């Protein structure tokens, strides 16, 4: 929990540090309504955080799926680090879509469950790890969401939109196919207790999937709008 407490403090403080400097360095940021400034910062901070996690997350996924090496301590630490930006944003971002709030709450709930799971045992917790790692790769989406309020070249904005849609959509497809294969395999191989655990997992992950669907739909429409402007 020390990682969570210290990490939360660092991310919390970074909002105010970034706000201080952005107010002085970015003319477009100063024009953003006050109630939306922390929304922009939450996405900038999350993009930076997820980008920094990506190498270790990718290595962890490779070792888990290819070598069947599920390092419990590393996965727990990554789970805590992943949840911190979402946890902090629940308190600092006033205007947040309901689906996003549900997503963030589920992430925090999963983080707590993650702390008590032993990943050396083949259980439903492994599906959560895979979902979280693929979500880590979507940092460009958060950068794109923030860039809407900042001065970004039209061609750059279009390029970011297309790449974000392709990367995010690809990650979702691969992730969901793996999840479906894993859950169905576990369902027919486990007992009643195991099936109950799968049902609980699916009920929570469904809320995350809903938010992912909302976001990918927005990304698709965003690309269409920008192509019409070009």
């Amino acid at each position: 929990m020390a990682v969570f407490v210290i990490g939360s403090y660092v991310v919390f403080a970074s909002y105010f540090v970034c706000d201080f400097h952005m107010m002085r360095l970015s003319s477009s940021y100063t024009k953003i309504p006050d109630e939306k400034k922390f929304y922009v910062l939450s996405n900038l901070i999350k993009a930076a955080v997820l980008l920094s996690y990506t190498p270790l997350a990718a290595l962890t996924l490779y070792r888990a799926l290819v070598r069947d090496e599920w390092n419990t301590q590393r996965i727990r630490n990554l789970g805590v680090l992943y949840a911190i930006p979402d946890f902090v944003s629940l308190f600092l971002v006033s205007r947040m879509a309901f689906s996003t709030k549900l997503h963030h709450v589920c992430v925090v709930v999963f983080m707590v469950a993650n702390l008590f799971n032993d990943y050396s045992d083949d259980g439903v917790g492994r599906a959560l790890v895979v979902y979280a790692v693929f979500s880590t790769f979507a940092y460009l989406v958060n950068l794109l969401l923030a860039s809407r309020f900042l001065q970004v070249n039209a061609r750059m904005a279009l390029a970011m939109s297309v790449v974000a849609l392709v990367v995010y959509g690809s990650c979702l497809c691969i992730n969901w196919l793996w999840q479906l294969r894993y859950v169905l395999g576990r369902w027919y191989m486990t007992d009643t207790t195991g099936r109950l655990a799968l049902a609980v997992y699916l009920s929570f992950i469904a809320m995350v999937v809903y938010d992912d669907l909302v976001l990918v739909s927005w990304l698709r429409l965003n690309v269409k709008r920008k192509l019409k402007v070009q």
Side-chain angles (χ1 to χ4, degrees):
M1 288 301 291
V3 173
F4 179 75
V5 173
I6 295 172
S8 295
Y9 172 76
V10 171
V11 171
F12 181 90
S14 67
Y15 274 77
F16 299 94
V17 173
C18 290
D19 179 67
F20 176 83
H21 290 290
M22 291 284 284
M23 287 294 291
R24 285 153 181 77
L25 299 175
S26 174
S27 58
S28 56
Y29 181 79
T30 60
K31 297 175 184 178
I32 300 173
D34 290 339
E35 67 272 14
K36 291 185 178 180
K37 282 187 170 69
F38 273 18
Y39 169 80
V40 174
L41 290 179
S42 71
N43 280 293
L44 287 175
I45 292 169
K46 186 170 182 178
V49 168
L50 293 184
L51 175 59
S52 69
Y53 296 166
T54 293
L56 182 57
L59 178 62
T60 300
L61 184 66
Y62 170 78
R63 288 180 173 174
L65 298 184
V66 177
R67 298 183 179 178
D68 197 30
E69 297 176 6
W70 298 81
N71 187 311
T72 296
Q73 191 56 53
R74 179 187 297 157
I75 292 171
R76 286 177 178 175
N77 289 337
L78 274 173
V80 169
L81 291 171
Y82 179 86
I84 287 172
D86 288 355
F87 174 76
V88 174
S89 68
L90 285 170
F91 297 95
L92 291 182
V93 180
S94 57
R95 300 187 64 175
M96 184 185 295
F98 180 69
S99 61
T100 304
K101 287 183 179 179
L102 279 179
H103 184 147
H104 291 350
V105 170
C106 288
V107 167
V108 175
V109 171
F110 284 140
M111 181 206 70
V112 175
N114 162 71
L115 295 174
F116 299 95
N117 192 66
D118 182 359
Y119 293 98
S120 62
D121 297 328
D122 186 10
V124 68
R126 291 186 174 185
L128 176 59
V129 173
V130 174
Y131 207 109
V133 171
F134 274 106
S135 298
T136 302
F137 301 152
Y139 54 84
L140 185 58
V141 174
N142 294 99
L143 181 61
L144 177 65
L145 290 172
S147 71
R148 294 177 299 160
F149 300 90
L150 303 172
Q151 288 180 345
V152 179
N153 178 276
R155 289 186 178 180
M156 177 62 73
L158 175 60
M160 287 176 58
S161 299
V162 171
V163 174
L165 176 60
V166 171
V167 172
Y168 194 59
S170 299
C171 285
L172 287 179
C173 288
I174 296 170
N175 191 3
W176 289 345
L177 286 172
W178 187 93
Q179 296 284 326
L180 182 63
R181 175 177 173 273
Y182 182 82
V183 169
L184 287 177
R186 291 290 303 173
W187 186 268
Y188 291 109
M189 292 172 58
T190 191
D191 56 13
T192 303
T193 302
R195 289 182 178 180
L196 179 60
L198 285 170
V200 172
Y201 169 72
L202 290 173
S203 65
F204 277 95
I205 209 66
M207 290 181 273
V208 177
V209 169
Y210 173 73
D211 188 51
D212 286 335
L213 288 171
V214 170
L215 187 51
V216 79
S217 177
W218 178 85
L219 287 170
R220 183 176 58 82
L221 292 175
N222 182 58
V223 169
K224 284 186 176 180
R225 285 195 297 266
K226 292 189 180 301
L227 284 173
K228 289 181 180 179
V229 173
Q230 293 294 312

